[in-house]
Amino acid sequence: ILPNCCYAMVLIFINKLNYKKMKIQELRIGNFIKSDFYKEEIEIHSICDVTGDVYNRTTGDIPVTNIHPIRINEDILKRLPFVFDDMEDTNDDNTWYWLKYGNYLKFNSDKSCEFKAIFITINGFTFKIEYLHDFQNLYYSLTGQDVVFSAVS
């Protein structure tokens, strides 16, 4: 039997296996991430150029080795400005979420992917986005605006 401190280390290790490794170059101020130390999502308020550690006004400094991306799922979609559509008026029983920007950008996710990704089609090419910070960054790059994300569900 392992002591309690070892259980905590094992849980942190297993938790890291479930996340892709964060690259600090993928992040920008305003992105939301997960940490080994906090249950809720954390908004990045600044990033240290030297260490890559991130800072949040509430939690303080978080080492880059302890941050992880947030996977897209239905709960995350509900906290973004996506519109829910259950497709009742068609023979398709697929429920989906969509977000339009202007007349040219349309992001969507549906039950067929178990709401674990957001898709966007540009010039006939469809791109799959699996992490919240990647979606935040792409949305900002294409629109020049931050997407609204409710930190608490």
Side-chain angles (χ1 to χ4, degrees):
I1 295 180
L2 296 172
N4 286 341
C5 64
C6 291
Y7 282 120
M9 293 303 291
V10 168
L11 287 175
I12 288 173
F13 177 74
I14 290 171
N15 207 16
K16 286 184 184 221
L17 293 177
N18 292 326
Y19 296 104
K20 79 172 193 172
K21 179 125 172 88
M22 290 295 302
K23 294 179 186 159
I24 203 64
Q25 298 85 352
E26 297 177 358
L27 298 175
R28 64 181 190 80
I29 294 170
N31 283 151
F32 281 82
I33 49 116
K34 290 291 256 179
S35 167
D36 293 331
F37 308 120
Y38 303 97
K39 181 180 175 184
E40 62 278 342
E41 294 88 3
I42 299 163
E43 182 177 6
I44 296 174
H45 293 136
S46 68
I47 302 170
C48 178
D49 291 337
V50 177
T51 64
D53 295 349
V54 299
Y55 174 80
N56 172 278
R57 289 182 202 94
T58 304
T59 62
D61 289 325
I62 303 170
V64 67
T65 54
N66 295 100
I67 62 174
H68 311 285
I70 299 168
R71 280 196 170 277
I72 298 293
N73 59 43
E74 191 170 9
D75 177 59
I76 296 297
L77 291 172
K78 289 178 181 176
R79 294 161 54 196
L80 290 162
F82 277 77
V83 174
F84 175 75
D85 189 342
D86 62 7
M87 304 284 284
E88 287 181 8
D89 57 341
T90 69
N91 292 331
D92 184 3
D93 67 352
N94 197 17
T95 56
W96 58 291
Y97 291 86
W98 58 271
L99 172 64
K100 256 179 106 171
Y101 183 83
N103 292 324
Y104 60 96
L105 282 180
K106 185 176 179 183
F107 300 90
N108 64 64
S109 183
D110 63 37
K111 195 190 304 183
S112 69
C113 70
E114 299 177 350
F115 305 110
K116 293 183 179 178
I118 295 172
F119 297 90
I120 181 172
T121 302
I122 302 173
N123 293 335
F125 295 98
T126 300
F127 300 93
K128 179 179 179 182
I129 306 161
E130 296 179 314
Y131 297 98
L132 177 59
H133 74 280
D134 289 333
F135 174 69
Q136 289 178 296
N137 293 344
L138 180 61
Y139 188 90
Y140 183 81
S141 294
L142 294 173
T143 68
Q145 298 177 5
D146 286 313
V147 66
V148 176
F149 176 68
S150 301
V152 179
S153 60

